[in-house]
Amino acid sequence: MRPQTPTYWLLDSRTGWRTGWPYNDRLSNDKPCNDSPSQDCQVSELVPASVGAAGIRLPVSKQGALSLTSTDGSLGGLVMPQGFAIDNDALVYLLDQQTLQVKRFNPSSKTFDVILGIGGEGENARQFGAGTHALAIAGHDLYIVDPANQRVQVFSLASLALRFVWQKAAIMDDDKLWSPSDVSANGNMAVILDQAQGVVYRHLAGASDLQQVIVDPDACGRWSRVAIDNHKRIYLLDAEQGQLQIYQILEEGGSLYLGSVDDIAPILDRFPSPALRLDHRSRFCLAPSLTQACARSIPDVSAEDHSLGSCQSGGLLFDRSGQPLALPEEPEPLGFALYQTKATWISEALDSQRYNCQWHRLEFTLSQLPSGARVVLRTYADNEQRRIEDVVQIPDHLWESHTVLVGSAQASYQPGCQSSARESDTLVKSGPGQYMWVRIDLSGDGYSSPQVTQLRAHYPRASYLQYLPAVFANDDEARIFAEGFLALFQTEWEAIEQHAQEFARYLDPAAVPDSGWADYLAQWLALPMEGRWNLQQKRNLLKAAPECYEARGTQASLERYLQAYIENITGLDSDAQRGFPAIIEAYRKRNYLIFNAQNPARIDRQQTLWSPSIVGRLQLDVQAKADEVRLVSTGDPELDVFQSHAHRFQVFVPSSWLGSKDDERCLRRAIEAEKPAHSAYDLCLVEPRLRVGVQSTVGIDTIIGAIPSARLHDNSEELPPSRPPRHRLGYDTVLAGNPSQGGGVPLNPGVHIGSNTLLS
């Protein structure tokens, strides 16, 4: 019988790190040693580590690109660099601070083109004063702050029309200053900072007025930057203090002060990933996903990625004004260091609630251990509860050192180069004590940081030594050696038993840990998976499998199976799909009324008339019209009325759910995999329209939508082949104008006949 599995303390970003130090009121380490009065007692100068959602890492350098006062104005990588913005179509905008012109990236020419009608130095509308550098995009509007002219201009992205001009007279009394200095946006909300008054205004897309949400007269002239996160919290930079002050907007009006931070680590996960970063030479790289003509997407650029790494994989390099640059051929000197070179983290007292408890072992996970980085784990145990201020003063030699990990050596430093995540464990060597403190010392070269993402402290020690004769534990030296030796085997056996206890999660679609295990589970169920699917998509199909297999071969089973596929393609769950896909079996529609001389029939209800054209079999003197007949050589023409479309069904899916050929191929593979082998099917992609006699069955092939916008040219190379034709005159498009305006054919903005449009 094995010893009872010990309990443990789990420390991570989800359960809480239980950080004891660093704390808010940092103490200077000048107290005398309380535990040892000898001259050898030395207290190290501790630098507080940074603790955030990503784990424990080195604090940022105050001069580096990750500091809140970084020179690119990105608040250390929380937001886009100052003077940059990106719209909902993943098009990047920049404000050229030399010419005061707004430029937008053109995916066709791969250049930044000047937006005509906006920019230039001056006081007129659409012009800006010297020093203009802040712009943002909220919804479909472009906000530009002009401090020199004391105004904010708002432009429509679609038409480039000037929608609002907010200036002194429109905002406040004449005896007060109106000094807008910065703007930030997230989603449909923009916030504007009035630096002179210490006031922050909010503007919601579609509204016409500004709303005061933060007013602090003591902050006049102190705040220099503003930002807004995904939860509509507002962050204001006090550059002198090097802090971001955080406010929560209240529904009833006003705001609530939440505190401050001096590092981006605790709040980094609250902001959307910035699409680009400037390097130390004010250059930036557009990732390949931003330069595509179609299907652009915002890349996940980490705050640390201030290098030109994405340009090496197909991105484009530009300077601050949007001028293209060539990639450097030789390695360049690195800029300012990103991190400090050493730091320390100390936990709160971990309480075992057992006097003289011998703590067992520590498990920890490192998500990053770059070249040359160093991580040291130490512990200190005591039966007496201590204040964290006293724990910080404990000399280094009283902390029991357990594990020292060093990143693998490399020939030269490459930004972003790091070893993969690793999990390690170590035996606790500290003596017995009810309380234990864990200390982690980090060090690095300043350009990368080790990162601890999880820590698990097991207690009490349940050693295999208790099953050996007492002679092996007669003295402390023999006991410590035997426990350490047996722990090597005990740890391996415990891991195996833990896996056995947790094996059930590998059989649960909602808990299967990774794509490899999901594929393995799918093989057990003989369930084919798409190779490009991620883990969540595979889980969706695995969850649907039991329902499908219980009634396999039936209409209900196929509908549930296709719902899982459509959820993976569109992101719509089964409830949001609203009854689609709809499957209609042909025999349910086969209710024809036959007229002949021998068997006259009465039309007393709505019914479809039978004719040879339904099958289209070539029969002389019956059905022989060119372009309408088919060469069908099997079956009996007299039985066509009964055999037509036997064992056949139709699958109706909204056309907008399948955006490409690959999506249609994927759905067809699903139908082929689950339909009965003897049956045939037709995939019908339903357009949002109603056409009497063609597409008019409510709930099946009729979707009421908005009036379609006709396009004179439709690039259908990548569209699903089964999608019905669009933009055809006489089919789904009617040219008409407003009678009160004298008719005419309205064209979409940007369409110029004879310039970029051909009628065909």
Side-chain angles (χ1 to χ4, degrees):
M1 178 178 177
R2 63 176 298 275
Q4 182 180 1
T5 302
T7 54
Y8 58 84
W9 280 98
L10 176 62
L11 309 180
D12 60 16
S13 59
R14 291 184 296 177
T15 61
W17 279 103
R18 303 187 65 86
T19 301
W21 193 84
Y23 41 83
N24 291 331
D25 299 325
R26 295 173 183 166
L27 302 178
S28 59
N29 297 323
D30 55 2
K31 291 185 180 180
C33 299
N34 298 325
D35 294 277
S36 176
S38 66
Q39 296 181 354
D40 295 335
C41 176
Q42 299 291 333
V43 178
S44 300
E45 183 70 22
L46 300 182
V47 177
S50 177
V51 183
I56 301 172
R57 62 163 175 77
L58 291 168
V60 300
S61 170
K62 300 303 180 183
Q63 294 79 30
L66 297 181
S67 68
L68 295 174
T69 56
S70 56
T71 56
D72 64 354
S74 66
L75 299 178
L78 292 179
V79 296
M80 293 272 282
Q82 198 166 29
F84 288 81
I86 190 167
D87 65 13
N88 294 330
D89 295 325
L91 289 176
V92 176
Y93 294 69
L94 66 84
L95 178 60
D96 189 339
Q97 298 179 7
Q98 297 179 354
T99 63
L100 298 179
Q101 292 178 313
V102 179
K103 299 179 179 180
R104 176 172 54 198
F105 182 73
N106 186 338
S108 299
S109 61
K110 309 298 183 185
T111 59
F112 278 89
D113 297 340
V114 174
I115 299 179
L116 299 178
I118 302 179
E121 186 172 359
E123 299 180 356
N124 297 327
R126 298 177 171 270
Q127 292 182 326
F128 313 110
T132 301
H133 53 264
L135 79 161
I137 293 176
H140 301 286
D141 292 335
L142 174 66
Y143 298 72
I144 301 180
V145 174
D146 185 358
N149 293 320
Q150 293 186 321
R151 66 186 181 186
V152 178
Q153 299 185 63
V154 183
F155 301 89
S156 169
L157 290 178
S159 62
L160 302 182
L162 181 58
R163 301 193 64 232
F164 302 106
V165 178
W166 294 314
Q167 49 193 1
K168 178 181 177 182
I171 302 300
M172 54 184 58
D173 299 334
D174 291 339
D175 59 343
K176 294 183 179 180
L177 295 177
W178 158 244
S179 180
S181 60
D182 194 26
V183 62
S184 181
N186 194 325
N188 292 324
M189 181 185 297
V191 289
I192 299 170
L193 170 63
D194 182 346
Q195 185 175 19
Q197 298 298 314
V199 178
V200 176
Y201 296 88
R202 175 180 66 174
H203 182 250
L204 299 176
S208 58
D209 299 326
L210 293 176
Q211 299 175 340
Q212 282 189 359
V213 291
I214 300 176
V215 181
D216 187 355
D218 296 335
C220 294
R222 184 156 48 89
W223 292 331
S224 58
R225 294 295 313 281
V226 64
I228 181 171
D229 69 9
N230 296 328
H231 304 284
K232 304 303 183 272
R233 287 182 287 244
I234 295 178
Y235 299 75
L236 295 157
L237 175 64
D238 185 340
E240 183 177 348
Q241 299 293 329
Q243 292 181 342
L244 279 177
Q245 297 180 1
I246 309 173
Y247 291 82
Q248 177 69 61
I249 299 176
L250 302 178
E251 294 183 1
E252 59 271 19
S255 59
L256 175 66
Y257 178 66
L258 300 180
S260 63
V261 294
D262 57 5
D263 191 352
I264 66 173
I267 59 176
L268 187 58
D269 61 325
R270 303 178 185 178
F271 288 81
S273 175
L276 55 89
R277 293 296 311 272
L278 294 178
D279 71 353
H280 61 287
R281 295 189 176 184
S282 295
R283 300 171 300 184
F284 66 93
C285 184
L286 285 188
S289 63
L290 291 173
T291 62
Q292 302 175 126
C294 300
R296 287 180 301 277
S297 62
I298 299 177
D300 186 9
V301 179
S302 66
E304 292 86 351
D305 188 9
H306 65 292
S307 65
L308 306 181
S310 58
C311 282
Q312 305 291 343
S313 57
L316 300 177
L317 183 64
F318 299 91
D319 65 12
R320 180 63 181 76
S321 297
Q323 298 300 321
L325 300 174
L327 287 174
E329 297 180 359
E330 299 292 335
E332 298 180 335
L334 300 174
F336 288 108
L338 299 178
Y339 302 94
Q340 300 184 42
T341 56
K342 65 177 183 178
T344 297
W345 173 85
I346 302 176
S347 73
E348 292 180 350
L350 306 181
D351 187 1
S352 68
Q353 299 183 348
R354 305 185 186 196
Y355 186 77
N356 264 0
C357 173
Q358 178 59 60
W359 294 77
H360 182 36
R361 63 190 178 100
L362 295 177
E363 288 183 301
F364 56 95
T365 303
L366 295 175
S367 63
Q368 296 182 15
L369 187 60
S371 172
R374 178 185 173 98
V375 178
V376 181
L377 262 69
R378 308 174 192 266
T379 58
Y380 180 82
D382 198 336
N383 285 315
E384 179 185 353
Q385 171 70 287
R386 293 171 175 257
R387 298 186 311 155
I388 191 61
E389 294 89 340
D390 297 329
V391 175
V392 173
Q393 305 304 318
I394 295 176
D396 288 353
H397 71 276
L398 295 181
W399 288 89
E400 193 68 46
S401 178
H402 298 293
T403 300
V404 179
L405 296 176
V406 180
S408 59
Q410 296 181 358
S412 61
Y413 172 77
Q414 296 292 333
C417 196
Q418 62 191 34
S419 60
S420 58
R422 64 172 69 181
E423 297 181 357
S424 303
D425 70 330
T426 180
L427 198 68
V428 174
K429 300 177 183 178
S430 297
Q434 178 177 342
Y435 304 96
M436 185 179 72
W437 292 263
V438 180
R439 170 175 162 178
I440 300 178
D441 294 328
L442 308 173
S443 62
D445 60 2
Y447 292 95
S448 56
S449 171
Q451 192 162 285
V452 181
T453 55
Q454 190 179 85
L455 184 68
R456 199 186 301 253
H458 293 263
Y459 69 93
R461 180 168 294 168
S463 174
Y464 286 165
L465 183 62
Q466 61 182 300
Y467 300 106
L468 296 180
V471 66
F472 290 96
N474 275 347
D475 58 83
D476 287 342
E477 185 175 352
R479 177 183 57 80
I480 293 173
F481 172 79
E483 285 182 342
F485 181 77
L486 293 174
L488 297 175
F489 308 97
Q490 181 178 345
T491 300
E492 294 298 325
W493 278 110
E494 286 179 352
I496 294 173
E497 292 176 350
Q498 185 71 17
H499 282 304
Q501 293 175 359
E502 297 177 352
F503 184 73
R505 69 181 179 135
Y506 296 99
L507 307 179
D508 184 353
V512 62
D514 54 43
S515 294
W517 277 105
D519 292 335
Y520 190 62
L521 180 57
Q523 291 178 9
W524 281 17
L525 301 176
L527 188 66
M529 287 284 184
E530 297 289 330
R532 62 178 181 175
W533 279 356
N534 57 34
L535 176 58
Q536 185 57 48
Q537 291 173 314
K538 294 176 180 179
R539 283 176 171 173
N540 291 337
L541 189 60
L542 287 169
K543 291 177 184 177
E547 302 176 42
C548 299
Y549 283 1
E550 286 181 358
R552 197 168 193 181
T554 65
Q555 177 179 337
S557 172
L558 180 58
E559 286 177 348
R560 180 67 186 95
Y561 191 82
L562 296 184
Q563 282 178 351
Y565 260 75
I566 291 174
E567 180 177 357
N568 289 341
I569 294 173
T570 65
L572 301 173
D573 59 23
S574 57
D575 294 333
Q577 293 176 27
R578 298 183 178 274
F580 285 102
I583 298 178
I584 303 298
E585 296 171 281
Y587 80 90
R588 297 184 181 276
K589 297 173 61 178
R590 191 182 62 200
N591 187 17
Y592 301 117
L593 183 66
I594 304 174
F595 280 94
N596 55 49
Q598 290 77 21
N599 185 22
R602 293 175 52 194
I603 301 179
D604 55 0
R605 57 190 175 90
Q606 183 179 0
Q607 207 164 22
T608 303
L609 294 178
W610 164 261
S611 74
S613 63
I614 293 181
V615 176
R617 179 191 297 272
L618 175 60
Q619 300 179 71
L620 296 178
D621 299 329
V622 177
Q623 176 78 5
K625 189 175 180 180
D627 298 329
E628 292 185 3
V629 300
R630 294 185 299 158
L631 296 178
V632 179
S633 59
T634 60
D636 185 351
E638 297 297 329
L639 300 178
D640 281 346
V641 64
F642 305 107
Q643 296 178 346
S644 175
H645 307 305
H647 310 298
R648 194 174 191 91
F649 60 92
Q650 292 175 295
V651 179
F652 294 88
V653 176
S655 175
S656 60
W657 290 0
L658 304 182
S660 66
K661 291 180 179 179
D662 288 340
D663 290 343
E664 180 176 333
R665 294 191 191 104
C666 181
L667 189 61
R668 286 186 178 276
R669 284 194 293 268
I671 300 174
E672 293 286 352
E674 286 301 303
K675 74 177 183 65
H678 66 281
S679 64
Y681 73 94
D682 296 303
L683 178 60
C684 304
L685 302 186
V686 183
E687 291 290 327
R689 58 195 177 207
L690 167 65
R691 299 183 67 237
V692 176
V694 177
Q695 183 179 326
S696 56
T697 305
V698 177
I700 300 298
D701 62 354
T702 297
I703 300 176
I704 306 301
I707 298 176
S709 299
R711 296 183 180 180
L712 298 180
H713 176 67
D714 184 17
N715 182 11
S716 58
E717 294 181 358
E718 295 300 324
L719 296 179
S722 299
R723 175 177 290 182
R726 292 180 175 180
H727 318 305
R728 294 197 324 186
L729 290 177
Y731 183 81
D732 64 345
T733 300
V734 178
L735 293 181
N738 190 336
S740 63
Q741 299 178 355
V745 180
L747 299 176
N748 289 333
V751 176
H752 304 281
I753 295 180
S755 174
N756 60 3
T757 302
L758 297 177
L759 294 176
S760 60

